[in-house]
Amino acid sequence: MSGAALTPVEEALARLLAAIPGPVDEENVPLAAAFGRTLARDVAARRMQPPFANSAMDGYALRAADAIDATVRLTVVGESAAGRPFSGALKPGQAARIFTGAPLPDGADAVAMQEVVERNGEEIALSAPLAPGEHVRRRGLDFDAGEILLSAGRRLTARDVALAAAADHPFLAVRRKPRVAILSSGDELAAPGAGRGAAQIVASNAFAVAGVVAAAGGEPIDLGFVADDPTALAERLAVARAAEPDVLATIGGASVGDHDLIRAALARAGMTLDFWRIALRPGKPLIHGRLGATSVLGLPGNPTSATVCAVLFLRPLIRALLGDPGAGSDPSEPARLGAPVPAVGERRDYLRARLTAGGDGETLAAPIAEQDSSLVKALARADALLIRERGAPAAAPGEPCRIIRLAPLGA
């Protein structure tokens, strides 16, 4: 594909997700290891919860028909505690001491809070009548046996894991973590803390991309750096293919300069190119294709461009590989401008922005002053990406806008 036309962001994402053959394989994991994983199958309750009617209060279990007024005296004939139920059945005129969560004795249909009960020896009197079912958690109040509690494609929260435990599941079927190989290219790159030449810079992009991968539920595999040399690129791409990743994310070398060699190297390795050059800023020189069974995403080399493209494209790709039905959904939310913004050209703009709360409770988004895509500090201090559509006119503070919060996406 040559490159006169710029692919719109929505079209690029749709094509990216449509190209994957389907979700990755599933595996069973112990419940203790299920947090953050994505379900491969629906989770149905294996039992009823609660499995028996129980008390919602500390007090006395009794028959509501006996608690008609304060003149009635009931005889306490036993006790029901959590794990130690009352073994008999209550007869008319009888009551049982009961504690929160304890099974309701046979014959009882209500619980009187201890605060409304006066006890004298083995007799009690109530200060007010009770209705049937009062302060009783009925059997199956939470969920029924066989009920679908969690749907396939859902990423498990701590609350979800607790629900699966309550439903009697010691293991869950989840999608394996998609393997994402990350390869950085550029003669100028040096590892943090390593010695470097006068014309070299410390590489940081792979760390940001790996963070986005992990936050999305993938397994990042760092393949290190490779020089801007066709032979070296070919050798490293062969290593990448041998690792059999689900996704190969290259960083750098995707533009049109004499030293931007990634696209040609990928083509020689057998990549089928889908698109190149996107109508967004930062991140125009984004590559997408397939190398056998592997999805290829060639990210730009500037730190902001690489991170923005990872958020917009790599993250939903991983979620789609995990079977998430909402993988391609819009992650943006409404806000209002906290500062003026200029008109936009032919590419959708993603400005790095700080967020504050307005006096009316609305979120205000103000662009950071320096928007150069090479700036790492500005990116780290941003709370969100402020989205400006192609061709949008200049806008004043207070006008509506849309933002993508970075922290929830691992960026």
Side-chain angles (χ1 to χ4, degrees), residues 121-383:
E122 298 305 311
E123 284 191 339
I124 60 170
L126 278 65
S127 61
L130 287 179
E134 195 161 346
H135 304 311
V136 173
R137 299 173 180 143
R138 63 174 176 79
R139 184 170 179 260
L141 174 65
D142 199 354
F143 51 78
D144 206 350
E147 182 181 342
I148 301 298
L149 301 177
L150 300 166
S151 299
R154 181 180 180 90
R155 191 167 190 189
L156 293 167
T157 66
R159 291 164 288 132
D160 294 333
V161 174
L163 177 57
D168 203 27
H169 285 273
F171 294 87
L172 292 176
V174 299
R175 296 292 174 187
R176 67 168 176 81
K177 294 184 177 184
R179 291 162 49 84
V180 182
I182 303 169
L183 176 61
S184 302
S185 71
D187 294 334
E188 75 279 13
L189 300 178
R196 57 188 179 276
Q200 288 190 301
I201 61 172
V202 177
S204 61
N205 293 349
F207 298 98
V209 173
V212 172
V213 169
E219 178 187 351
I221 304 167
D222 188 3
L223 298 181
F225 314 134
V226 63
D228 292 323
D229 173 77
T231 301
L233 281 167
E235 291 174 352
R236 194 62 64 87
L237 288 175
V239 171
R241 294 193 69 177
E244 298 184 338
D246 300 289
V247 181
L248 170 60
T250 63
I251 303 174
S255 193
V256 294
D258 292 343
H259 298 282
D260 292 312
L261 308 177
I262 280 288
R263 188 162 58 98
L266 288 167
R268 287 192 296 271
M271 182 189 75
T272 302
L273 180 66
D274 182 16
F275 59 76
W276 173 57
R277 290 164 44 96
I278 311 299
L280 83 158
R281 185 174 62 181
K284 181 171 107 174
L286 180 76
I287 299 169
H288 171 248
R290 291 199 66 80
L291 193 56
T294 299
S295 295
V296 177
L297 202 59
L299 305 173
N302 275 321
T304 300
S305 304
T307 303
V308 168
C309 287
V311 166
L312 297 181
F313 298 101
L314 182 54
R315 182 183 183 279
L317 174 58
I318 293 169
R319 294 308 305 161
L321 287 168
L322 287 165
D324 182 350
S329 60
D330 181 5
S332 69
E333 61 184 80
R336 291 196 176 273
L337 291 173
V341 290
V344 184
E346 66 170 353
R347 294 181 282 160
R348 180 186 289 176
D349 210 348
Y350 290 83
L351 301 171
R352 279 68 69 204
R354 299 297 301 270
L355 303 181
T356 57
D360 55 2
E362 288 188 297
T363 299
L364 299 180
I368 290 174
E370 295 292 342
Q371 290 289 322
D372 189 285
S373 60
S374 69
L375 302 180
V376 183
K377 184 174 73 173
L379 178 62
R381 291 184 175 176
D383 302 310

